[in-house]
Amino acid sequence: MVPQPDILLAHADPAVRAALARTLGAAGHRVAEASSGDECLRLTAELRPAVALLAHTLPDLDGPAVCRALRAGQGTRHILCALIADAPLSGHDAAAQADLADAWLVRPFGDPELLALVRLLLRTSAAEQHRLLPAGAGLRLLRASAAEQIGSAGSEPIEVFYQNIVQTAMDGFWIVRASDARFLTVNDAYCHMSGYSRDELLAMCISDIEAIENPQDTAVRISRLRCQGHDCFETRHRRKDGTLFDVEVSVRVHAIERGEALIVVFARDITASKQAQETLRRSEARYRSLLSAIPDRVFRHDAEGRFTDYHAPRDTTLIMPPEMFLGKHYHEVVPPEISEPFAAALARARRSGQVERFEYDLPASDGTSHSFETRVVASEDQDVVTIVRNITDRRQAETAQEHLGKELARKNRELEQIVYVASHDLRSPLVNVQGFSRELQASLEELRHAIAALDIPAEQRAQIAFLTENDIPESLSYILTGVSKMDALLKGLLRLSRLGRAALCIAPIDVGQIIAETLIAFDFQIKQAGVRVELGALPRCKGDPLQVGQVFANLISNALKYLVPGRLGMITITGERADGMAVYCVADNGLGIAAEHQDKIFELYYRLDPARSEGEGLGLTIVRTIVDRHGGWVRIASTPGVGSQFFVALPETL
Ligand code: ADP
């Protein structure tokens, strides 16, 4: 294959063409030649040179016409055109044609000017191609310079082009002397970037602005550059104010003039993009570390359902190695027991825009079964994130809890049964004991009469009388007291057990009315003891009316029973709504209960001072049982010698 030429040279005069081609060839350029405008167009389209160097006057099509045609061609648009004019154009022509070509050479010119122009064009083309210059920026500058040059009759040196380009470029530009790395030329863009003036920079060398490499490193880099001709790397420069900025540097050994190598440098400030990269890296790192703290497996899929990324916590395993699923569609790699519910959840998630979930079980390698919960989220750009959590432990705990709950309920039923059977069945032998004891009492009476009729010595009579009048009646009375006590206890137990088993008939209750009725039942005691009762406005509640009535009857009965003798009794009953409950308070100014007894009084048969009053120690146990069954609570606040407050909370009703 013929190597792509740098330059297509079009000139009608073979001698002139040959001379120009020789000069260019000697400088290392690859040159293709054309003798007419038509040939020039054909060859440029075929060979795509970087630069077309055209005589202004050509057979078929003249130079400006070729320029226009190249500009108009899709594939030839980027070829830079330089026109060689034999004489400066007149003012009118200059204005009309200036923009036609990217550069102009006006005779007479020497080889150095020709070569400088060509080098400049090639460099501009390369810079644009490698995006070192914004596309078209070089062209615009060259054209502007070309216009100036035509107008000024070719008297301006070629450096004008060059100066204009480097001064106007958006990237920093310098030329440095290879031998001591001193700045020879610096453009405005670099002055702006570094904060130095041109004069300051021209008195400096690379090490004054280089923030990473030391002068030895720079020297090594320069000598390497002299061998390889060009380099491109990133580094960091120091501004005049000491701050640093990141630069991407493109370097080329420019020319060796009088034994001196010059280094041409384009430096682009990449601080912003570096910072953006760094921010991205940090946020990625944060995201990763956040992810690593998540005990779940996380997968990402693209819109088509292919796995694009995953995260697995360190101590977990995946059902297959990542290389087997990354890039694949989930239908291809995931078993149907997961992929089918997944497809359904994904469709739901896309419709609802919400997190959708499903659960499944998978056998583990040890033969056990593991349970998983999967959550699926579809983002707006159709990306899908799936979070998979192992819920085996949770499931086991739930099952154990359920089991425990059932077991507890069973035990409770069993206990209730025992209490019921014991209290019920024990009462019948007790009735026997009671019955036969009474029988014994009757027999004793008969015995007494029989003995009275007997004629026996007085000493013997006295002995027998001691048994029939003292010992036997006393024993019988102990037996009967014990039996009736036991009977009372068993009756209490039976009541409690029945209470626990009775079905609740829940209805809205007018507690005020229930209490008013209860107070009527206690009217006699209240009047006899001269107790003042105050009844506030009471909220309604929800419950079994009979059982709730029992609660207040027990509390009011206690309030009356445990008043301080000799002190005017006061009972106040109030109520209010709080947190969805109706909370009632039965308060008295009675004996009060010391703190250490306050919990115990709700226990079965617990009484503070059994000798002082009648009772079974069952009333508050019943209160608590009923309140618990209603989903409420009972609490006490009491001060010995001052009085007690019993608070009862029951579900409120509107
Ligand atoms: P009983 O009244 O049959 O003894 P309770 O279970 O109703 O059984 O009460 C348990 C004990 O709590 C009572 O024996 C009494 O010592 C104490 N008590 C209950 N209510 C009050 C009250 N309003 N003031 C002082 N003590 C009380």
Side-chain angles (χ1 to χ4, degrees):
M1 205 174 107
V2 183
Q4 189 188 357
D6 300 326
I7 302 157
L8 184 94
L9 173 64
H11 206 288
D13 184 335
V16 176
R17 201 169 64 231
L20 290 172
R22 213 174 19 253
T23 307
L24 292 167
H29 299 298
R30 292 186 297 273
V31 185
E33 294 176 34
S35 56
S36 71
D38 275 349
E39 192 187 10
C40 177
L41 271 188
R42 191 171 49 75
L43 286 177
T44 43
E46 189 182 313
L47 303 173
R48 304 278 163 87
V51 171
L53 195 55
L54 314 164
H56 189 273
T57 315
L58 280 172
D60 309 331
L61 279 175
D62 64 5
V66 173
C67 281
R68 271 190 216 99
L70 290 180
R71 290 272 170 79
Q74 183 67 29
T76 56
R77 183 169 296 157
H78 299 294
I79 297 173
L80 298 182
C81 295
L83 284 178
I84 302 169
D86 287 334
L89 302 182
S90 68
H92 180 266
D93 282 355
Q97 296 192 8
D99 198 36
L100 263 181
D102 297 306
W104 288 80
L105 262 179
V106 184
R107 286 197 183 281
F109 56 82
D111 284 354
E113 280 156 309
L114 171 70
L115 291 175
L117 175 72
V118 165
R119 268 206 306 271
L120 182 61
L121 288 170
L122 289 172
R123 217 169 38 227
T124 305
S125 163
E128 285 192 359
Q129 256 175 37
H130 294 107
R131 304 198 189 289
L132 291 173
L133 276 178
L139 287 174
R140 277 198 306 278
L141 288 163
L142 277 169
R143 280 175 206 144
S145 304
E148 267 175 39
Q149 203 187 16
I150 312 159
S152 60
S155 57
E156 285 273 4
I158 194 71
E159 273 74 21
V160 171
F161 292 152
Y162 163 81
Q163 288 289 341
N164 275 335
I165 288 179
V166 300
Q167 288 313 335
T168 322
M170 291 203 284
D171 290 336
F173 176 84
W174 345 305
I175 293 180
V176 231
R177 202 155 53 201
S179 55
D180 55 5
R182 280 208 163 273
F183 292 105
L184 298 180
T185 303
V186 195
N187 72 346
D188 290 346
Y190 193 75
C191 294
H192 185 71
M193 259 183 230
S194 64
Y196 287 107
S197 69
R198 175 170 293 105
D199 288 344
E200 282 170 326
L201 282 168
L202 290 179
M204 292 160 66
C205 59
I206 292 180
S207 56
D208 297 321
I209 49 128
E210 174 60 53
I212 295 180
E213 283 186 356
N214 60 33
Q216 286 79 16
D217 294 337
T218 306
V220 170
R221 188 186 282 283
I222 290 177
S223 64
R224 204 173 52 223
L225 185 65
R226 291 176 80 156
C227 300
Q228 64 192 43
H230 59 87
D231 196 2
C232 193
F233 58 95
E234 285 180 11
T235 184
R236 196 169 267 193
H237 289 174
R238 181 174 285 108
R239 293 193 185 88
K240 190 176 178 181
D241 65 8
T243 56
L244 303 182
F245 62 107
D246 292 297
V247 278
E248 183 186 56
V249 179
S250 174
V251 204
R252 192 165 280 272
V253 177
H254 172 61
I256 298 174
E257 285 171 9
R258 286 176 231 101
E260 183 69 82
L262 299 181
I263 295 169
V264 178
V265 180
F266 274 99
R268 171 170 296 187
D269 186 345
I270 53 165
T271 315
S273 74
K274 275 264 165 184
Q275 268 168 3
Q277 265 175 25
E278 181 58 17
T279 311
L280 200 69
R281 195 195 60 74
R282 284 220 198 100
S283 94
E284 173 113 3
R286 263 202 305 275
Y287 160 74
R288 286 272 157 213
S289 63
L290 192 75
L291 210 58
S292 67
I294 294 179
D296 304 327
R297 299 154 175 87
V298 182
F299 300 93
R300 285 181 65 168
H301 310 263
D302 61 15
E304 276 73 49
R306 283 184 295 259
F307 285 92
T308 52
D309 198 4
Y310 79 101
H311 154 80
R314 211 167 291 155
D315 52 347
T316 56
T317 50
L318 295 164
I319 53 174
M320 66 188 77
E323 57 274 16
M324 275 182 72
F325 63 82
L326 284 177
K328 302 254 174 62
H329 192 280
Y330 66 86
H331 270 314
E332 291 175 61
V333 285
V334 174
E337 57 264 43
I338 306 175
S339 67
E340 281 164 16
F342 177 76
L346 182 55
R348 287 200 306 275
R350 289 217 160 108
R351 267 199 311 274
S352 66
Q354 310 269 325
V355 179
E356 295 293 340
R357 51 187 294 286
F358 65 95
E359 293 181 6
Y360 56 90
D361 293 330
L362 274 186
S365 53
D366 60 2
T368 59
S369 173
H370 282 193
S371 305
F372 294 91
E373 180 200 66
T374 294
R375 285 160 196 260
V376 185
V377 202
S379 67
E380 273 176 22
D381 58 3
Q382 299 292 302
D383 226 34
V384 180
V385 175
T386 309
I387 300 164
V388 181
R389 173 170 294 187
N390 188 332
I391 53 162
T392 314
D393 291 349
R394 193 179 84 194
R395 277 267 187 88
Q396 277 168 358
E398 279 168 4
T399 315
Q401 211 169 7
E402 205 176 310
H403 186 72
L404 199 75
K406 278 190 187 149
E407 187 62 19
L408 259 175
R410 196 183 61 76
K411 282 261 188 272
N412 255 342
R413 277 198 306 276
E414 211 172 85
L415 266 176
E416 269 170 14
Q417 193 69 18
I418 291 170
V419 170
Y420 178 76
V421 169
S423 47
H424 185 266
D425 292 5
L426 281 179
R427 282 197 70 216
S428 33
L430 204 62
V431 169
N432 280 345
V433 174
Q434 203 171 31
F436 284 110
S437 304
R438 297 241 155 83
E439 191 78 357
L440 268 181
Q441 253 175 342
S443 306
L444 181 66
E445 202 52 35
E446 282 173 27
L447 192 64
R448 264 199 215 116
H449 287 300
I451 291 167
L454 284 179
D455 183 17
I456 48 172
E459 197 182 330
Q460 251 179 329
R461 185 177 293 280
Q463 267 178 1
I464 294 171
F466 186 78
L467 289 175
T468 56
E469 301 306 318
N470 292 307
D471 268 10
I472 299 176
E474 194 185 1
S475 301
L476 272 175
S477 129
Y478 277 130
I479 291 173
L480 281 168
T481 315
V483 164
S484 66
K485 181 142 195 224
M486 209 157 155
D487 189 39
L489 292 179
L490 287 177
K491 270 190 191 145
L493 260 188
L494 204 57
R495 254 174 79 200
L496 203 63
S497 146
R498 287 206 176 107
L499 196 68
R501 293 144 61 93
L504 289 177
C505 296
I506 302 291
I509 306 175
D510 182 347
V511 176
Q513 193 191 337
I514 285 195
I515 292 183
E517 284 165 10
T518 311
L519 288 175
I520 291 170
F522 284 109
D523 200 43
F524 177 73
Q525 283 114 299
I526 293 173
K527 288 213 171 97
Q528 204 181 38
V531 177
R532 239 180 82 195
V533 179
E534 274 181 20
L535 184 59
L538 301 178
R540 289 156 66 82
C541 75
K542 221 165 36 189
D544 183 309
L546 279 179
Q547 295 204 4
V548 171
Q550 169 99 70
V551 166
F552 289 104
N554 286 5
L555 292 178
I556 293 168
S557 152
N558 281 352
L560 285 167
K561 225 164 41 173
Y562 302 107
L563 286 171
V564 179
R567 185 201 284 172
L568 181 69
M570 273 280 295
I571 299 175
T572 317
I573 305 165
T574 52
E576 60 179 18
R577 292 177 194 279
D579 302 327
M581 304 294 272
V583 183
Y584 307 93
C585 175
V586 178
D588 63 57
N589 64 340
L591 293 167
I593 301 159
E596 65 266 30
H597 299 294
Q598 289 181 6
D599 275 346
K600 294 194 179 129
I601 54 172
F602 295 97
E603 289 171 9
L604 188 60
Y605 301 137
Y606 191 86
R607 309 196 68 216
L608 254 60
D609 191 358
R612 191 176 182 133
S613 61
E614 298 233 320
E616 297 162 326
L618 202 65
L620 291 178
T621 314
I622 288 174
V623 166
R624 196 172 62 183
T625 307
I626 294 175
V627 169
D628 282 352
R629 289 190 78 201
H630 280 74
W633 48 258
V634 54
R635 286 175 201 152
I636 177 183
S638 182
T639 311
V642 177
S644 310
Q645 290 173 299
F646 284 85
F647 297 93
V648 168
L650 291 163
E652 70 169 349
T653 189
L654 296 174

